[in-house]
Amino acid sequence: MKKIILYSLLGISTLLGACDKFLNENPTDFVAPANYYRNEKEVLSALSGVYDVLGKSAMYGRYLFFEMDMSDEGFFALSSNTQDIALYNYDIGDTKLLNTWTALYEGINRANMLLENIDKADMPNATREVYRGEALFLRAYYYFVLTSNWGRVPLRLQATKSPSEVDMKPGTLTEIYTQIVSDMELAADKVADVTSYPHAGRVSKSAVWGVLARVNLKMAGAPLRDKSRYTHAKKWAGKVIDLGYHRLNTDYTQVFKNHAQKAYDTRESIWEVEFAYISGAQYEEGSVGSINGIGTSNTVIGYSYGAQKIMKSYYDLFKTGDERRDWNINDYYYEAAPSTNRILYTGSSATIYYNRCAAKWRREYEKTGVKSTNTTVINFPLLRYADVLLMYAEADNMLPGNRSSESDEYVNQVRRRAYGKLRAGAVNVNEADLPAGLDEIDFQIALQSERSMELGFEGQRRLDLIRWGIFVPTMKGLIAYKSSANASYQYGFRTAENITERDTLYAIPRDEMVVNKLMKQNAGW
């Protein structure tokens, strides 16, 4: 938070100009605000620095979908590790904990600096307002990630002017969420329509509306439990749906192949963190498909650690015919290089179940001239249309009165795609639908499972379980499955065995506690 790094943006000269990646190439030295923000080019460069935080390893380059989203879907497949944030066994000096906290506040500080200086620039006012909206939304989004993971945090709404500006008491949850909602709602009126861009790397109205639905669902759940927010969640999800532009890709697997192939389908994948090479040189890569993915040392396919294995209970969640199961969870592995042959798993032993990986992103589909061992250019989704449909249904179901027929239809659309019923020529289209007439409780239970099957390993499951108030019992329930794993995989249940109530929030990093004398540590630490 002591400085802002400004980057030059490649290939973008106008607001609606096409770009493969809304990131930047080379960092420059610190530029004082008095000498910057003079024109549109410099403002856009600064804005790209606000976006840049999303792709850091401490963010969606790795931690937020891997170590910091360990849930009932999978486990940390490094058997030699006994202490890690992914095992819910760490101390407040954990470097991953600090790195994510620092990255989020870095993004906030960059946004604050841009917002404080954007009016100085000589540029068209309409364009200025679009950029202002993006910066407002990103600041709010970074605060949403912070409070979702840490609870009460300092609410810094001005750029840091001096290294001595360190003491700041945490805001109340009401203060923090009020600011998040205010910023996002203001941004919704300013940012461009989703059809303005040929890619999913920039914030659009659809992205803001969809994330506002997510924010309001969180506010309706733990810890605020403000039930009035379900109305707002339904409203914002409804705006995405009513736009009439978005629709589900007919093939579930293609959604994730697109992330690897840079094939943008903004009707389904509304907002993504983008990773890329430029001209064969390393640009900015993430770990999508290399830390998770189908584990292999086959460098022709693309090396993957396969470091997130799946729980048998997650495998068992899927019913026969659900095509998501064998995509989220691989049903094959690879021969050694130079072969690219696949070998199907057979049988049903415990080893076969627990040896499978979180396989949603597969490097065999990655389109790039060079495949690194540790990193990939596969994009990561922050918001998909399927999530919007499920959020609408959940919010509507939780409101007083009878659930609308649209909510059942929206869940069934997601299910039909899962069973191949949206493809041309599909027959018995309704056979995958939920049973008719489910009451509020049974519908919610079905929807909770549906979110896991549809959105598994996308950084949402742990946060969903927490807002539903069932995180700890759900995780503890995994222990009953331990006997289903052979001895070599029973280490995978360490996460469930370590869980306590304190793990609904992460510890405030030691560095923050040492420097900020007004900060309060979370309960249990």
Side-chain angles (χ1 to χ4, degrees):
M1 296 173 58
K2 295 180 181 178
K3 65 179 181 178
I4 183 171
I5 299 176
L6 300 175
Y7 295 82
S8 60
L9 192 66
L10 300 181
I12 300 181
S13 58
T14 65
L15 169 64
L16 304 184
C19 67
D20 177 62
K21 171 134 175 64
F22 193 60
L23 286 175
N24 319 280
E25 187 180 9
N26 298 313
T28 63
D29 292 332
F30 174 79
V31 180
N35 301 317
Y36 210 69
Y37 306 100
R38 296 168 299 187
N39 51 50
E40 181 181 349
K41 179 180 179 181
E42 291 182 350
V43 170
L44 186 56
S45 180
L47 179 60
S48 74
V50 184
Y51 275 94
D52 180 66
V53 171
L54 292 168
K56 291 183 178 296
S57 293
M59 293 285 289
Y60 296 101
R62 172 168 166 166
Y63 295 173
L64 289 180
F65 69 82
F66 181 52
E67 284 97 336
M68 296 178 73
D69 188 46
M70 285 297 161
S71 67
D72 59 333
E73 295 171 344
F75 62 93
F76 188 52
L78 297 175
S79 60
S80 60
N81 288 46
T82 58
Q83 184 174 352
D84 196 280
I85 196 169
L87 298 172
Y88 298 99
N89 184 28
Y90 63 96
D91 61 39
I92 65 173
D94 186 276
T95 57
K96 294 173 184 173
L97 190 77
L98 175 62
N99 289 345
T100 303
W101 175 279
T102 302
L104 286 161
Y105 273 110
E106 182 178 18
I108 289 165
N109 197 54
R110 293 180 181 187
N112 284 337
M113 189 171 289
L114 174 56
L115 290 168
E116 290 169 10
N117 290 279
I118 193 170
D119 288 325
K120 299 176 181 178
D122 181 12
M123 60 187 294
N125 192 59
T127 305
R128 187 198 322 273
E129 292 308 301
V130 172
Y131 295 171
R132 193 194 309 274
E134 291 176 78
L136 280 167
F137 173 80
L138 289 168
R139 180 176 72 177
Y141 185 77
Y142 294 147
Y143 268 119
F144 180 55
V145 177
L146 272 166
T147 194
S148 295
N149 286 288
W150 280 278
R152 295 184 59 193
V153 297
L155 193 59
R156 300 180 183 272
L157 302 178
Q158 292 82 37
T160 303
K161 306 297 191 298
S162 166
S164 64
E165 297 178 20
V166 292
D167 291 333
M168 189 171 187
K169 68 179 182 180
T172 66
L173 291 178
T174 299
E175 289 170 341
I176 296 167
Y177 277 103
T178 297
Q179 187 66 47
I180 291 169
V181 170
S182 175
D183 280 353
M184 287 190 178
E185 290 185 350
L186 185 58
D189 292 331
K190 295 180 180 294
V191 299
D193 186 85
V194 66
T195 58
S196 299
Y197 309 115
H199 55 85
R202 288 185 74 168
V203 172
S204 66
K205 290 187 184 298
S206 295
V208 177
W209 296 337
V211 173
L212 268 167
R214 185 180 294 168
V215 169
N216 280 282
L217 276 181
K218 171 62 176 175
M219 295 172 74
L224 283 177
R225 303 189 187 280
D226 180 359
K227 304 303 182 184
S228 70
R229 306 313 300 190
Y230 284 123
T231 299
H232 299 275
K234 178 181 175 180
K235 178 187 76 172
W236 292 112
K239 286 181 74 69
V240 181
I241 297 167
D242 292 343
L243 184 64
Y245 170 78
H246 297 285
R247 54 100 181 98
L248 297 174
N249 190 304
T250 58
D251 183 348
Y252 180 77
T253 70
Q254 190 60 47
V255 175
F256 309 99
K257 293 173 185 175
N258 286 344
H259 295 151
Q261 296 169 346
K262 301 298 183 223
Y264 292 99
D265 175 14
T266 57
R267 293 180 185 272
E268 160 90 30
S269 194
I270 298 170
W271 186 31
E272 301 174 13
V273 182
E274 299 178 290
F275 301 97
Y277 282 107
I278 286 184
S279 301
Q282 184 168 319
Y283 184 41
E284 181 169 359
E285 301 171 83
S287 298
V288 184
S290 66
I291 191 66
N292 52 9
I294 301 176
T296 181
S297 59
N298 186 325
T299 55
V300 177
I301 294 293
Y303 190 97
S304 172
Y305 290 92
Q308 189 171 14
K309 303 293 188 184
I310 66 100
M311 287 291 180
K312 183 178 182 294
S313 56
Y314 185 59
Y315 183 95
D316 291 344
L317 193 62
F318 297 88
K319 301 298 186 288
T320 301
D322 192 332
E323 298 175 359
R324 295 173 298 191
R325 187 194 68 185
D326 290 341
W327 186 260
N328 295 358
I329 306 165
N330 55 302
D331 61 348
Y332 62 83
Y333 58 98
Y334 303 107
E335 288 186 344
S339 172
T340 58
N341 290 340
R342 305 168 177 177
I343 302 174
L344 282 172
Y345 284 114
T346 57
S348 58
S349 71
T351 300
I352 290 175
Y353 284 120
Y354 289 97
N355 194 44
R356 301 191 190 204
C357 303
K360 216 164 202 177
W361 296 279
R362 306 183 181 191
R363 298 200 68 181
E364 64 184 283
Y365 298 100
E366 185 181 1
K367 282 192 175 179
T368 182
V370 179
K371 290 185 178 181
S372 298
T373 298
N374 296 314
T375 56
T376 78
V377 300
I378 300 173
N379 289 357
F380 184 81
L382 294 177
L383 180 68
R384 293 197 291 113
Y385 186 54
D387 190 4
V388 174
L389 293 173
L390 295 176
M391 288 192 291
Y392 181 99
E394 180 178 353
D396 184 42
N397 181 58
M398 298 303 289
L399 287 170
N402 294 327
R403 182 176 66 252
S404 68
S405 59
E406 286 85 358
S407 294
D408 292 71
E409 171 62 19
Y410 293 154
V411 176
N412 288 333
Q413 284 181 25
V414 174
R415 290 181 58 80
R416 289 169 200 156
R417 193 258 298 273
Y419 286 81
K421 300 301 184 180
L422 297 188
R423 296 194 187 99
V427 297
N428 300 322
V429 173
N430 301 114
E431 68 179 354
D433 290 3
L434 291 173
L438 292 179
D439 64 20
E440 176 185 320
I441 294 174
D442 287 340
F443 186 86
Q444 178 66 13
I445 291 171
L447 190 141
Q448 288 174 353
S449 295
E450 201 63 40
R451 285 188 64 82
S452 185
M453 291 184 287
E454 177 68 28
L455 304 171
F457 313 115
E458 295 185 37
Q460 296 296 321
R461 182 60 173 177
R462 173 180 169 271
L463 299 176
D464 276 349
L465 292 172
I466 290 170
R467 70 179 176 84
W468 291 327
I470 60 173
F471 176 59
V472 173
T474 299
M475 295 299 292
K476 287 295 186 185
L478 292 174
I479 298 172
Y481 286 86
K482 188 172 181 178
S483 61
S484 70
N486 62 16
S488 63
Y489 282 107
Q490 290 196 354
Y491 73 86
F493 292 84
R494 290 173 185 161
T495 303
E497 292 167 338
N498 291 335
I499 283 288
T500 66
E501 285 294 334
R502 75 176 187 178
D503 295 306
T504 56
L505 293 175
Y506 286 115
I508 305 298
R510 176 182 291 136
D511 283 27
E512 179 71 15
M513 295 300 300
V514 169
V515 172
N516 184 354
K517 302 305 182 184
L518 300 179
M519 192 63 206
K520 304 294 184 183
Q521 184 56 271
N522 285 326
W525 295 97

